[in-house]
Amino acid sequence: MTVQITLKPANQSFPSRPEDTVLAAGLRAGLAMPYGCRNGLCGMCKAKLLSGDVTYLREPAGLTSGESCAGYILCCQALPRNDLRLELEIGPLSQNIPARRMPARVEKIQRLNHDVLQVILKLPESIRFAFLAGQYVDFILPDGRHRSFSLANAPQQDNLIEFHIRHIDGGRFTGELFDHLKQYDLLRIEGPLGNFYLRDNSARPVILLAGGTGFAPTKSIIEDTIARGIPRLIYLYWGARSREDLYQHDRALDWAKRHGNIRYIPVLSDPKPHDNWSGRTGYVHEAVANDFPDLSGYEVYGSGPPAMVYAGQTVFLKQGLPRENYFSDAFEFAND
Ligand SMILES: Cc1cc2nc3c(=O)[nH]c(=O)nc-3n(C[C@H](O)[C@H](O)[C@H](O)COP(=O)(O)OP(=O)(O)OC[C@H]3O[C@@H](n4cnc5c(N)ncnc54)[C@H](O)[C@@H]3O)c2cc1C
Ligand code: FES
């Protein structure tokens, strides 16, 4: 049974399917719901329940018993049992692009390095897939489970969509893709989702902090700004272990060469002797922190490993970055 969720004070209502968490239903409706880990840990999706009932598959760690007694819930874990009214501040609408489910056919598969696969999907001709650069989609597995992957292309190209997929040891979905995916296979996706997109209502310089395949959404954002002629100063910090993990290094160098407003700073945490690396080393979020002791005038967008995204947040806020100017997609595993 579909239930209705209403957010106050925005008075925004949206439907929720039985298998949806409050967060999943809100993101699908195109709302800028706050979230972080999506695993019940960080507390960023906390909302006050004004009426209705929710249930959890397991008690979330990110909510104290005091908060629970005071009527707070964690939207990323709470399953509505009936219609809900919630007190929750949401950001401006993600241009209100509701997500939808659609089939997509594999157009091209290519290894970008030892553990990253580029997958290009073709959408049905009848579908014009609108999204904001930086957003992600969920792949829907045959058993209904979801796996999230960021769109790597700019929205101007909306019939073919691109993903950079890192192989996870023992991973169900990525293992299946690496071992068996072939051209013309049919997959099901749902999107666009998420709040990780460039806020273009400001002229602040932008720092894109990417770890590994966290490069994918930053590529989408950069290609979108180039296509739209946005002149904002953009620093791309791309962190990886060794040189081969910077799987589109030449492309990033090319952006910086051709566009005076784009700066590219690759940072390796574990360069190999044969890399002959003379560039920056260490953790990528620390490189940003070293280069920008005062972040009060910037916007930072972090995508990739959760450890990098959260460590970056902690240090950047200490260096003056306003909380509302840090945007992130932590590449957490799905909470099956
Ligand atoms: C918003 C968002 C966007 C994302 N975008 C991208 C993207 O563009 N590209 C990309 O490559 N990934 C992206 N991810 C991460 C991606 O969703 C996961 O890697 C993927 O869901 C793994 O699916 P799986 O079925 O292969 O692995 P699962 O079967 O879900 O996971 C394997 C399980 O094994 C364990 N495990 C295995 N290996 C490891 C490891 N190395 N470290 C820790 N635990 C491990 C974990 O407990 C995990 O639960 C994104 C995630 C989110 C939330
Ligand atoms: S606790 Fe819900 S997003 Fe982190």
Side-chain angles (χ1 to χ4, degrees):
M1 187 186 71
T2 299
V3 301
Q4 204 65 17
I5 301 175
T6 304
L7 302 183
K8 298 283 182 183
N11 222 15
Q12 195 77 43
S13 290
F14 53 92
S16 175
R17 299 182 302 222
E19 70 275 19
D20 282 341
T21 61
V22 173
L23 178 66
L27 290 179
R28 186 167 340 92
L31 299 180
M33 308 272 291
Y35 66 87
C37 67
R38 306 198 314 172
N39 274 325
L41 301 171
C42 71
M44 280 173 65
C45 62
K46 206 177 293 172
K48 179 138 196 208
L49 186 60
L50 301 174
S51 65
D53 303 287
V54 300
T55 180
Y56 296 103
L57 289 181
R58 57 174 176 271
E59 267 326 292
L63 202 60
T64 63
S65 54
E67 288 170 329
S68 196
C69 292
Y72 286 92
I73 64 162
L74 289 182
C75 295
C76 71
Q77 303 296 306
L79 297 160
R81 297 175 65 180
N82 42 36
D83 287 353
L84 304 182
R85 277 170 59 252
L86 297 173
E87 191 177 288
L88 178 68
E89 291 286 351
I90 51 171
L93 296 186
S94 313
Q95 295 184 11
N96 208 9
I97 307 177
R100 50 182 166 164
R101 286 190 179 196
M102 63 199 107
R105 208 169 274 289
V106 177
E107 179 79 6
K108 189 176 158 203
I109 317 164
Q110 190 191 348
R111 280 280 183 129
L112 296 177
N113 69 9
H114 65 112
D115 69 350
V116 179
L117 202 60
Q118 179 194 47
V119 176
I120 296 188
L121 301 182
K122 190 169 177 21
L123 301 174
E125 294 297 339
S126 56
I127 291 183
R128 193 191 162 269
F129 181 56
F131 65 95
L132 302 174
Q135 287 191 295
Y136 69 92
V137 305
D138 274 353
F139 285 74
I140 300 157
L141 279 54
D143 62 5
R145 291 167 202 244
H146 289 205
R147 295 291 186 262
S148 306
F149 289 91
S150 306
L151 291 144
N153 58 294
Q156 288 77 12
Q157 178 200 350
D158 58 0
N159 189 242
L160 292 178
I161 52 175
E162 175 187 351
F163 300 92
H164 300 167
I165 297 183
R166 187 169 77 86
H167 182 256
I168 300 298
D169 283 341
R172 275 168 68 126
F173 180 64
T174 58
E176 180 69 23
L177 291 191
F178 271 72
D179 292 346
H180 301 298
L181 190 72
K182 41 187 201 321
Q183 195 183 20
Y184 307 129
D185 278 355
L186 198 60
L187 299 171
R188 288 192 71 74
I189 60 170
E190 179 168 49
L193 297 165
N195 301 329
F196 190 72
Y197 58 89
L198 186 71
R199 291 356 187 222
D200 49 15
N201 56 355
S202 103
R204 282 186 208 95
V206 170
I207 297 171
L208 301 175
L209 169 74
T213 47
F215 175 74
T218 66
K219 170 177 175 289
S220 173
I221 289 173
I222 289 180
E223 291 185 344
D224 181 45
T225 59
I226 293 172
R228 293 197 287 145
I230 295 174
R232 277 170 83 177
L233 186 53
I234 298 180
Y235 297 87
L236 168 63
Y237 281 77
W238 188 6
R241 279 155 305 181
S242 65
R243 171 64 187 81
E244 71 166 333
D245 298 312
L246 298 173
Y247 54 81
Q248 291 199 337
H249 183 58
D250 290 344
R251 181 188 291 267
L253 286 173
D254 194 54
W255 289 328
K257 197 167 115 200
R258 286 171 189 270
H259 304 278
N261 63 319
I262 299 176
R263 313 277 155 83
Y264 170 48
I265 305 96
V267 183
L268 297 185
S269 61
D270 188 17
K272 305 278 173 281
H274 62 259
D275 288 342
N276 294 321
W277 184 251
S278 57
R280 303 282 292 271
T281 53
Y283 289 122
V284 63
H285 66 280
E286 290 175 357
V288 172
N290 282 333
D291 293 354
F292 299 91
D294 178 3
L295 282 162
S296 56
Y298 291 81
E299 278 174 18
V300 183
Y301 295 76
S303 56
M308 179 206 76
V309 166
Y310 300 132
Q313 171 167 339
T314 306
V315 59
F316 302 155
L317 297 196
K318 279 191 193 144
Q319 293 186 197
L321 181 73
R323 174 67 197 84
E324 64 276 17
N325 289 350
Y326 186 64
F327 308 96
S328 63
D329 254 346
F331 285 7
E332 299 278 4
F333 291 106
N335 191 2
D336 287 339

